[in-house]
Amino acid sequence: MNQPPQITPKVSASPPPIKDALQSDKTGSENIAFCDSIFAKAFKAGASDIHFEPFEQAFRVRMRVDGVLSQIAAGPAAEYPQLSSRVKVLSELDIAERRRPQEGRLKLVIDNRSIDYRVSSVPTRFGEKIVLRIVDATGLKADLTKLGMNPKEAQLMAQATGQQYGMCLVTGPTGSGKTTTLYSALNRLNQMDRNISTIEDPVEFDVFGITQINVKRELNMDFAQVLRLLLRQDPDVILVGEIRDTETAKTSFQAAMTGHMVLSTLHTNDTVSAIARLRDMEIEPFLITAGLNVIVAQRLVRRICQHCKAPVTISAAQLKSLGISEEQAAKASFHRGRGCVKCNGSGCRGRVAIFEMLTLSSKLRDMIFENASVEALRKQAIKEGMRTLRVSALSKAFQGMITLEEAALFSGRT
């Protein structure tokens, strides 16, 4: 159960005056050191996010490692304003503004390595909650197999994004690594003879050689408006951070049909659902079939810690529940992490992506043009050899890369 953080009260000979009881006992230098220690802990643990959270009696700091949140610090509520102000100063946010949300960026040097953070603050009942997302451009890989794609998937992605025009869509929930996949594809395309631009909210990674534009709705610079402006800038490749509405979708497809390579993301559960989502956005079937090069669905799953990895035997009942035959199990190598200092006892360290990739055959294009159901499209895609998220997850479990329990999270998907 999610319990309030335990705070050990300080014992004093006599109660402090009322006005002092509401103030922090930490000096400025102690607060700076405390804040720095949080950043250092999160960096050492390989955290992707840091959450500063105020409550009525206390505050806590949590970090997300391999998709799981855990607490790394806590303190009395009176100390939180100093801590949040310190983070806001580092992020160049307005410390006097506590009633409106703010966004900023922060760069720190930890262990001689420069770390970038994307910062978001939002007012809550007991103060401002601040979340820092670590933006690590070193995670971008020109070799897509290092993200988790198998060689065939990497080749299909390279072919789809290397064409002169068309649309490449990556789908999945927030935090599934969609932007990292698209930027890794852009890294391969980032050559002197190409003009590459991105439209994002906000810009995730700073990459030399790519023109990157932040969406600013207050200045009438939303995705669709900026995309229309970019089409006058002689672009070869355009990354649209996210297709959220009909106008952006239609403008993106028009760009893809007029000699531009367009890469973007969409929030759907799998590849075939993206086609239904585009229909909901009033994209005509002929545009979908003519403009789409590939649809990729992806998730991030926890990788087994390489320092405490050990083989395990899986029961026949568990194999049967996952639809794994004895013949398949005989060829597999199942592993699990025992838990060690390197993985903080979790048995997992790092994450790897699983992919579902849909390329449109002539049969699928005909079915889309005829408004075939999502289920019919999925069956046809699988018949033609599409590896689903479930199959991709089980494949990595067979290789001993992830646990069978992690792969079982996708057992309900075909």
Side-chain angles (χ1 to χ4, degrees):
M1 185 176 176
N2 197 1
Q3 298 287 346
Q6 296 296 316
I7 307 299
T8 304
K10 295 182 179 180
V11 179
S12 56
S14 58
I18 293 177
K19 66 176 182 178
D20 292 334
L22 300 175
Q23 296 176 355
S24 169
D25 291 329
K26 276 191 172 73
T27 64
S29 58
E30 288 174 334
N31 183 61
I32 291 172
F34 179 67
C35 192
D36 289 347
S37 71
I38 290 171
F39 290 129
K41 284 181 186 177
F43 171 75
K44 188 173 291 187
S48 60
D49 302 84
I50 308 172
H51 294 236
F52 294 83
E53 303 170 307
F55 300 98
E56 184 175 13
Q57 300 294 333
F59 75 87
R60 71 181 177 190
V61 183
R62 294 188 292 172
M63 63 179 177
R64 189 181 295 278
V65 179
D66 299 336
V68 179
L69 279 169
S70 61
Q71 182 172 302
I72 56 171
E79 294 181 355
Y80 188 73
Q82 271 193 331
L83 178 62
S84 62
S85 293
R86 170 64 180 166
V87 178
K88 290 174 72 175
V89 166
L90 290 171
S91 309
E92 298 183 352
L93 301 181
D94 184 357
I95 62 172
E97 179 57 75
R98 298 181 182 273
R99 299 173 300 170
R100 293 193 176 101
Q102 297 187 68
E103 292 185 351
R105 293 185 83 95
L106 165 62
K107 179 172 286 191
L108 294 176
V109 177
I110 303 175
D111 289 349
N112 296 319
R113 181 178 165 188
S114 180
I115 310 295
D116 288 308
Y117 301 85
R118 196 177 75 200
V119 186
S120 170
S121 75
V122 61
T124 71
R125 185 180 174 192
F126 301 110
E128 293 174 281
K129 175 172 179 174
I130 303 175
V131 176
L132 287 74
R133 166 154 287 192
I134 297 174
V135 181
D136 187 3
T138 61
L140 305 181
K141 309 291 184 184
D143 182 358
L144 295 173
T145 59
K146 293 182 179 178
L147 295 179
M149 288 186 184
N150 63 33
K152 182 180 178 181
E153 290 168 339
Q155 183 182 12
L156 287 173
M157 187 69 171
Q159 289 174 350
T161 56
Q163 295 182 31
Q164 290 292 321
Y165 64 92
M167 171 85 73
C168 172
L169 282 178
V170 179
T171 75
T174 300
S176 57
K178 300 186 297 295
T179 304
T180 299
T181 297
L182 288 178
Y183 259 99
S184 294
L186 284 185
N187 255 354
R188 193 181 60 83
L189 299 174
N190 189 11
Q191 305 292 334
M192 182 63 74
D193 60 350
R194 286 192 181 95
N195 178 19
I196 303 176
S197 299
T198 73
I199 313 164
E200 300 172 76
D201 184 20
V203 169
E204 290 272 356
F205 306 105
D206 293 327
V207 180
F208 177 79
I210 297 177
T211 301
Q212 298 170 287
I213 303 172
N214 267 321
V215 167
K216 294 181 180 178
R217 292 179 179 81
E218 68 276 10
L219 300 178
N220 195 30
M221 289 178 61
D222 58 13
F223 281 109
Q225 181 66 22
V226 177
L227 180 52
R228 281 192 289 268
L229 293 172
L230 271 182
L231 292 176
R232 303 183 191 120
Q233 292 273 314
D234 185 31
D236 295 303
V237 183
I238 303 171
L239 168 63
V240 180
E242 182 182 349
I243 294 178
R244 300 176 179 174
D245 52 65
T246 298
E247 186 181 9
T248 304
K250 288 184 175 180
T251 309
S252 297
F253 269 91
Q254 288 167 2
M257 292 294 294
T258 54
H260 308 92
M261 171 53 60
V262 179
L263 292 77
S264 191
T265 69
L266 200 63
H267 284 289
T268 62
N269 291 327
D270 55 31
T271 53
V272 181
S273 297
I275 295 172
R277 180 78 180 107
L278 291 171
R279 288 171 177 169
D280 292 341
M281 290 181 170
E282 301 176 7
I283 303 300
E284 297 290 340
F286 77 88
L287 281 177
I288 297 175
T289 57
L292 269 178
N293 291 350
V294 68
I295 307 175
V296 180
Q298 71 176 78
R299 300 289 190 280
L300 292 176
V301 293
R302 295 190 296 169
R303 191 192 293 265
I304 297 172
C305 176
Q306 297 302 303
H307 299 278
C308 60
K309 182 177 179 180
V312 293
T313 302
I314 306 299
S315 68
Q318 188 175 359
L319 292 172
K320 185 178 179 181
S321 68
L322 293 171
I324 302 172
S325 67
E326 293 182 4
E327 292 78 11
Q328 289 174 319
K331 300 176 183 178
S333 178
F334 298 112
H335 288 74
R336 184 180 295 123
R338 293 188 298 262
C340 63
V341 176
K342 294 283 187 181
C343 62
N344 199 25
S346 68
C348 296
R349 184 173 176 84
R351 290 191 289 178
V352 64
I354 59 172
F355 295 94
E356 175 180 301
M357 190 168 292
L358 175 65
T359 54
L360 299 185
S361 65
S362 57
K363 174 65 174 176
L364 282 169
R365 292 180 194 276
D366 290 342
M367 292 176 68
I368 293 170
F369 196 77
E370 295 167 1
N371 282 320
S373 68
V374 167
E375 191 55 37
L377 290 170
R378 182 179 290 111
K379 286 180 179 178
Q380 179 63 28
I382 293 172
K383 182 180 177 181
E384 293 179 5
M386 182 183 77
R387 278 168 40 113
T388 63
L389 289 170
R390 173 183 179 274
V391 172
S392 181
L394 287 175
S395 173
K396 285 182 169 50
F398 288 176
Q399 298 169 38
M401 193 179 300
I402 67 174
T403 65
L404 197 57
E405 290 80 6
E406 194 79 7
L409 296 173
F410 301 91
S411 61
R413 298 176 174 87
T414 55

